[in-house]
Amino acid sequence: MKSTEKCVSNGKPDNGYLNWRWQPAGCNLSELDPAEFLRAVRGKLLAFVGDSTARNQAESLVCFLSTVSRPETTHRYEEPVGHEFWRWVFPAPHNVTISTYWSPFLVRAEGRSVDYAMTQDTLFLDALTEPWTADVDAMDVMVISAGHWFNHPAVYYDDGQIAGVFSRPDVNETDIGGGYVGVYRKVIRRVLEYVNEKSSGDKLVVVSTIAPAHFDARYAWNHRDACSQPNPYDEGEVPEDANTAEMRKAVLEEGAAAKRQRRGLRFDVLDVTRLASMRPDGHPGAYIVKDRYCAGKPMPETVNNDCLHWCAPGPVDTFNDILVQMVAASG
């Protein structure tokens, strides 16, 4: 697991986030049973494709499963900006493989997603990325989780031509129709069409809705109070965000459309937006380095904050509790 998400060992003092669990109305969502899950997916490849939220969920799952079987890290590939491909193998009798594929836009991109020193991106909407596309047919369970990169300034190419721009007044091109949310919808649709076309046999394809970040808008992102909420939101406290709502809607609608077109595949949507939006307490915040601000050490006004990713254990575990139910339902 990424060390920045180990909130307990990093000294995060407000640990109430460990005790809150989301439950759906009308039924009981049981916690993931590691041994039972490994039996359910014996011999299968589980792939988490997308940005660092996909990796966050995968690492949470690996952490839980490691309590009953120690995995081997068979492949680890890292580049700058955290561009990682990881593969964990849980040995016999499980023979379960879990992989993460870094692809923050799901399509080919150049710019900030490759080099943080740059301020914008160039996206090629008709070019899906390797290595996930090369491995797609081998995936038995595919979890797609992306969205947080799409609001970056960008130029979009489609079929060799500039299709538009977003937040690029320096480029003499027309703004993309539908804004970045429209681009996001188009990408999700093309990814699901590609998976449907290139996959043979049974496969569970899960698309996750976006889990909102919780940076407090009253402060700069690196202010010590920008990510310090110690409790979940109550009903009615969640800030409204029209773009997040539209991105969620895009996934729900494109996922529903994919279900109608499936051929031997099962498509489903992991709808985490609402449950995640109520958990501002579940992020690492300033506690991304072990013991930096504990034991009475004062916290400066300016800190590195993470109010996007999730502590593990923490709210992200619920994402996998739901995923387990989807796997079980797929047979």
Side-chain angles (χ1 to χ4, degrees), residues 3-311:
S3 61
T4 57
E5 293 153 14
K6 297 179 179 179
C7 299
V8 173
S9 60
N10 287 349
K12 183 175 170 69
D14 49 318
N15 58 9
Y17 68 92
L18 295 170
N19 302 317
W20 291 96
R21 279 191 79 241
W22 178 81
Q23 282 288 353
C27 66
N28 180 60
L29 178 65
S30 58
E31 293 187 26
L32 185 154
D33 182 315
E36 183 177 326
F37 183 76
L38 284 170
R39 285 193 294 270
V41 295
R42 181 171 295 172
K44 296 185 182 298
L45 167 62
L46 285 68
F48 291 78
V49 179
D51 58 24
S52 54
T53 61
R55 185 200 65 222
N56 197 174
Q57 184 179 350
E59 290 177 339
S60 168
L61 179 60
V62 169
C63 185
F64 261 87
L65 300 182
S66 298
T67 61
V68 296
S69 177
R70 185 175 181 84
E72 302 168 358
T73 304
T74 62
H75 192 87
R76 172 180 172 178
Y77 176 62
E78 293 187 64
E79 293 179 350
V81 198
H83 303 174
E84 301 171 357
F85 169 74
W86 282 73
R87 176 167 288 163
W88 299 269
V89 175
F90 292 86
H94 311 294
N95 298 318
V96 173
T97 301
I98 298 178
S99 295
T100 62
Y101 296 80
W102 165 261
S103 182
F105 293 106
L106 302 172
V107 295
R108 185 164 70 88
E110 298 173 355
R112 183 169 173 78
S113 60
V114 179
D115 181 358
Y116 272 171
M118 303 186 72
T119 58
Q120 67 281 318
D121 287 283
T122 300
L123 273 62
F124 301 87
L125 302 180
D126 56 348
L128 303 181
T129 57
E130 293 187 354
W132 77 260
T133 51
D135 294 350
V136 67
D137 191 36
M139 300 172 185
D140 298 294
V141 178
M142 181 183 185
V143 180
I144 302 164
S145 181
H148 285 283
W149 283 74
F150 280 81
N151 63 353
H152 292 185
V155 176
Y156 307 105
Y157 282 83
D158 201 358
D159 195 25
Q161 303 292 324
I162 293 182
V165 301
F166 170 71
S167 192
R168 290 294 304 273
D170 59 309
V171 178
N172 187 23
E173 293 289 344
T174 304
D175 286 349
I176 193 77
Y180 72 84
V181 176
V183 172
Y184 178 67
R185 177 186 286 273
K186 179 178 289 188
V187 168
I188 293 295
R189 180 183 303 158
R190 289 183 173 179
V191 167
L192 296 181
E193 289 174 348
Y194 179 87
V195 172
N196 188 51
E197 177 186 349
K198 298 296 182 180
S199 299
S200 58
D202 295 332
K203 185 195 300 291
L204 172 62
V205 183
V206 176
V207 191
S208 178
T209 63
I210 192 167
H214 288 96
F215 290 99
D216 192 324
R218 295 174 298 176
Y219 305 99
W221 74 270
N222 57 352
H223 190 278
R224 64 186 171 206
D225 294 325
C227 189
S228 59
Q229 171 63 256
N231 298 306
Y233 284 132
D234 289 329
E235 290 286 344
E237 287 187 327
V238 179
E240 293 186 7
D241 186 332
N243 286 325
T244 294
E246 286 299 309
M247 293 178 83
R248 173 180 178 266
K249 180 182 178 183
V251 170
L252 292 174
E253 292 179 350
E254 296 304 323
K259 289 182 183 181
R260 294 192 294 269
Q261 299 173 14
R262 69 183 185 273
R263 52 173 189 80
L265 279 71
R266 179 174 173 234
F267 290 92
D268 214 334
V269 173
L270 179 57
D271 188 2
V272 301
T273 302
R274 177 165 171 74
L275 71 93
S277 68
M278 300 188 72
R279 297 302 308 275
D281 59 317
H283 302 287
Y287 296 92
I288 57 177
V289 177
K290 184 175 177 62
D291 296 335
R292 175 176 284 176
Y293 301 122
C294 63
K297 296 177 183 177
M299 183 180 294
E301 183 173 316
T302 300
V303 298
N304 288 323
N305 263 327
D306 185 348
C307 221
L308 168 62
H309 302 101
W310 302 96
C311 296

